[in-house]
Amino acid sequence: MKKQENNKATGLEDNFNRLPDRLLVSIFTKLADLKFLCRCSIVCKRFASTMSLIQSVSLILPSSEAFSFESTRNECKLFQKILCIKSEEIPAYIRSKSLEKLNFIIFLQKFKKLESIYLEFTCPQKIANSSFLLWKAKCGSGRAEIESLVCLIPGSVHKMTEYQPDEKQGNQVYTSEDCQFHNCLGLCWSFMECIHLLCVLIKCHHSLKCVTVTNSEKQGKLVLKDEQLVMWRNSLHIGNRFDCELPLYLVTASLKVLNLPLSGYRMKRVFLVFIKFLELAREDYDDDDDDYDGGLDDLEDWDIEEAIKTWDFEEEEKLLGEALKEIAAKHYKQFFIDHMRLRSGSDSSE
Amino acid sequence: MSSSTELTEKKVFLLKSLDGVIFEVEESVAVQLEVIRELIEGDCARPFISLYNVTSEILALVIEYCKHHAETCSGGTSATIADEDLKTFDNEFMNVDENILLELCSAADYLDIKSLFELTCRTLASLIKDRTIIEVRKMFNVENDFSVVEEKAVRKEFAWAFK
């Protein structure tokens, strides 16, 4: 039995003194958000030292105020640089370059027993507003990389049996396809930024068993666990699919109506973006070589329907899964397929 | 919940607090305390159990909590109504002094009542969350053992957490 002191509160006594570290950790774990944990660690030295026993934290990343491709590119380069540094030297690097916004990485390094991280990124404002948005990312097999990302934005979602107001009477604001497209790219870059940070965290925290990446509206998520996480950690040094200047294979589709017989829903004004990140073989690539197509030729016969079949959809992703399969099977002709290479400043289609 | 207790005569247990106060509780309430449930399952439960770590003030609260939870769960109401009811009760129940909360938290841990432990941890966390560092120190009588220089340094490094 635990022996605790039974002295009554005198009013002057530290009330937490009676609580063993284990209980303090349980309370701190409920704080979850790294920001709150950090503030709390300034209360007293015991709080600060107990904090390091916490096994799970959540991290809410602020959205880049002025969101641009340029900022994402710089961010990606920075994280890539950090990834090349030994994890114990990362704090010194962050300090020496006064990268104050990355100081949380230093704080996080105190957590020696960290088993789970929940990362939440914030999409650029516009996309967050489309409440029906669904997204999903697929990891590549065998190493640390994101293979593809899909965004589905329906203008509306109804039960097929429900009364559906005429489009003209609806009070939804119509968003142009161009705008939707840029919104999707915005989500994609925010996500990639988040993945870069994730790689740094995976590198630094060897006790990790599970990481979850989601956006603040929780419209999709990526979970890495156990062996997959180990595989990511072991292959971080060879991963190159995080370069945000990678060539992309891009499929977009725009549909007026999409019926989902299985779940009984009907979506209207559906916009879909499917992004496949292409291999960038370092040895073949140098900055001046604008003609390098990142293996685009191999993709001419790439079949989106086949690709989607290999995705696993969890219970909460059922609707997205069904929509994708429907689109791939029945609306293939409406696909607009393009490949592009994103360049600094603007997106240039080849 | 088990209906066998209703057929046979209701079993009661006597729980003695640290300061010697004896509480009479029915089995359905006592089993909410995991420590006692284990004793019962292992057939080692005597009708008289001393709890050395809990004062009568706290034990009374713990029993009130367990009683309400046991009654609501076996009351035959639908799960959603019972859930709502428990939520309201829990909120109300947590509306106590922060020192009582700390004691409830450690009692819930000692007596192994998972739901109460979760509830108190969550409540304490939200108390801390909504307050500044100085307010937290004051609220729980925590002495600031950082020197002025040390505190300034950490606050500077952790400036991101205050944005």
Side-chain angles (χ1 to χ4, degrees), chain A residues 2 11 13-16 18 22-23 30-31 35-36 38-39 42-45 95 103-104 107, chain B residues 53 99 102-103 109-110 117-118 124-125 129 133 137 140-141 145-146 150 157-158 160-161 163:
Chain A
K2 291 145 279 177
E13 177 204 1
D14 177 344
N15 294 322
F16 278 106
R18 279 166 297 161
R22 192 172 46 81
L23 295 200
K30 296 275 179 236
L31 282 172
K35 219 174 203 179
F36 291 118
C38 181
R39 283 188 222 167
I42 308 177
V43 170
C44 66
K45 285 184 177 164
R95 284 193 188 105
N103 274 352
F104 70 87
F107 178 67
Chain B
N53 254 329
N99 294 320
L102 284 174
E103 295 208 28
D109 174 61
Y110 169 68
F117 182 64
E118 277 285 306
L124 283 162
K129 209 177 236 177
I133 296 165
R137 283 179 190 146
F140 297 101
N141 287 324
D145 49 4
F146 285 107
E150 280 173 330
E157 179 153 284
F158 298 158
W160 55 270
K163 275 173 191 158

Side-chain angles (χ1 to χ4, degrees), chain A residues 68-238:
Chain A
S68 70
F69 176 72
E70 191 66 27
S71 69
T72 302
R73 197 174 74 120
N74 293 340
E75 206 90 325
C76 289
K77 287 210 161 130
L78 176 63
F79 279 124
Q80 234 147 20
K81 192 148 195 194
I82 293 176
L83 265 180
C84 300
I85 304 170
K86 275 191 200 153
S87 53
E88 57 273 21
E89 287 163 12
I90 290 174
Y93 178 80
I94 292 173
R95 284 193 188 105
S96 71
K97 302 269 177 202
S98 357
L99 300 164
E100 269 160 34
K101 60 175 182 171
L102 295 185
N103 274 352
F104 70 87
I105 295 178
I106 305 179
F107 178 67
L108 206 54
Q109 287 214 338
K110 295 183 202 296
F111 296 63
K112 299 287 182 217
K113 300 194 169 178
L114 206 54
E115 289 186 1
S116 110
I117 294 182
Y118 177 88
L119 265 177
E120 202 176 284
F121 66 93
T122 311
C123 298
Q125 194 96 69
K126 273 185 205 150
I127 196 161
N129 290 341
S130 65
S131 48
F132 300 115
L133 169 87
L134 297 164
W135 65 267
K136 186 178 168 71
K138 187 178 188 276
C139 296
S141 55
R143 61 181 160 131
E145 61 186 14
I146 297 295
E147 188 185 278
S148 37
L149 180 83
V150 61
C151 283
L152 182 82
I153 313 181
S156 66
V157 183
H158 291 282
K159 270 273 176 202
M160 276 181 183
T161 49
E162 248 172 47
Y163 166 72
Q164 291 164 35
D166 197 10
E167 279 293 292
K168 279 167 198 158
Q169 288 166 13
N171 52 1
Q172 284 128 337
V173 186
Y174 180 73
T175 323
S176 77
E177 274 178 30
D178 250 14
C179 188
Q180 300 278 49
F181 178 69
H182 281 275
N183 285 345
C184 288
L185 285 185
L187 180 132
C188 175
W189 303 142
S190 307
F191 174 73
M192 286 319 252
E193 248 179 68
C194 192
I195 293 295
H196 274 89
L197 168 65
L198 180 69
C199 289
V200 173
L201 300 179
I202 289 176
K203 182 187 162 118
C204 295
H205 296 275
H206 285 254
S207 49
L208 273 182
K209 290 190 178 131
C210 177
V211 290
T212 307
V213 176
T214 186
N215 65 322
S216 45
E217 272 71 30
K218 297 174 186 60
Q219 289 150 322
K221 69 172 183 192
L222 173 79
V223 181
L224 292 178
K225 273 187 192 164
D226 311 319
E227 301 93 55
Q228 208 175 10
L229 206 56
V230 174
M231 185 267 288
W232 268 56
R233 182 176 299 120
N234 293 340
S235 60
L236 277 178
H237 58 289
I238 48 167

Side-chain angles (χ1 to χ4, degrees), chain A residues 331-345:
Chain A
H331 305 274
Y332 192 70
K333 286 191 186 117
Q334 296 177 54
F335 281 165
F336 176 73
I337 300 177
D338 194 8
H339 49 248
M340 61 196 288
R341 171 103 159 254
L342 289 148
R343 277 284 178 192
S344 55

